[in-house]
Amino acid sequence: MISPVRIVLVDDDPMVRTALGMILGGDPSLQVVGEAADGQEALEVVAALDPDVVLMDIRMPRMDGLTATQELLRRQPPPRVIVLTTFDTDDMVVRALQIGAAGFLLKDTPPARLVEAVRSVAAGASTLSPQVTAALVASVSGSGASNPALGELSEREREVAEAIARGLSNAEIAAELYMSLATVKAHVGRILTKLGVDNRVQIALAVRG
């Protein structure tokens, strides 16, 4: 039996932590093992519990979420961190991803999408909500210098890449393009290789460049 993904929730609002715990705890593949009310406490909780994934708020007392994320990612091995916030300010998105966060989601992300995002990040992928993808791409692209390797993508791969740039998950791409989830994953792998990039965010930037 596969062990559940171990999660720590970090947010200064106890009601938010309770809501997230109910959403994630309802899935048998996920297990909330700890909580923290600020970034400093998060460092202590993660050191004690060694979770797989940390859901991290940004604006908190004592130590903010971005600083805490930077500290957590110095651990060996580091946890996977998803920044979860009510704000989608461009500079916050860029800074979180520059630090090394595996994802950036808004707190109003639908429960099913949140669960899928945690699973995806635990498996090594990156994740952004559609609104955040749009904000990120708008803030760092527009130079007109798109990735020349885009021309090497097949028509189907280009469709998948454009769907990724819109912030769609693999499951959403499968439904929209009428293909199996396994086929979508195979296309994503080939796109990463052809474009010479490491994650979905970089695919989005290549498409929107």
Side-chain angles (χ1 to χ4, degrees):
M1 181 176 178
I2 299 176
S3 299
V5 175
R6 292 164 48 82
I7 305 163
V8 163
L9 306 175
V10 185
D11 197 294
D12 62 338
D13 187 336
M15 293 183 65
V16 171
R17 298 199 305 270
T18 298
L20 291 172
M22 292 177 64
I23 292 170
L24 299 173
D27 190 288
S29 68
L30 307 177
Q31 179 184 15
V32 177
V33 296
E35 299 181 5
D38 58 59
Q40 184 61 50
E41 186 180 2
L43 302 185
E44 299 164 4
V45 171
V46 169
L49 300 177
D50 195 25
D52 303 304
V53 176
V54 177
L55 263 63
M56 180 76 73
D57 188 21
I58 286 184
R59 297 186 177 179
M60 296 180 292
R62 291 210 298 170
M63 181 185 290
D64 67 82
L66 295 182
T67 301
T69 295
Q70 194 166 23
E71 291 296 320
L72 288 178
L73 294 179
R74 293 191 176 120
R75 289 175 52 83
Q76 292 299 326
R80 302 279 286 166
V81 179
I82 299 175
V83 174
L84 191 64
T85 181
T86 54
F87 307 97
D88 62 350
T89 308
D90 294 355
D91 61 345
M92 287 184 179
V93 180
V94 173
R95 187 179 168 205
L97 297 174
Q98 286 175 335
I99 287 170
F104 193 114
L105 298 175
L106 301 184
K107 288 183 180 178
D108 61 1
T109 298
R113 180 65 186 270
L114 179 60
V115 168
E116 182 185 350
V118 172
R119 286 178 182 161
S120 177
V121 163
S126 59
T127 186
L128 292 175
S129 62
Q131 306 98 307
V132 172
T133 298
L136 175 63
V137 170
S139 69
V140 299
S141 64
S143 64
S146 61
N147 191 320
L150 284 171
E152 298 180 12
L153 301 183
S154 69
E155 181 177 352
R156 204 60 162 159
E157 289 166 352
R158 183 62 186 249
E159 290 176 341
V160 172
E162 290 176 350
I164 289 172
R166 301 202 320 270
L168 271 62
S169 67
N170 284 350
E172 291 166 335
I173 295 172
E176 180 174 296
L177 298 181
Y178 303 102
M179 60 177 68
S180 70
L181 188 57
T183 300
V184 173
K185 291 179 179 179
H187 280 312
V188 172
R190 286 193 291 271
I191 292 167
L192 290 169
T193 299
K194 288 183 178 182
L195 297 185
V197 298
D198 299 320
N199 56 56
R200 299 169 76 89
V201 176
Q202 292 173 334
I203 291 176
L205 295 177
V207 171
R208 299 302 186 202

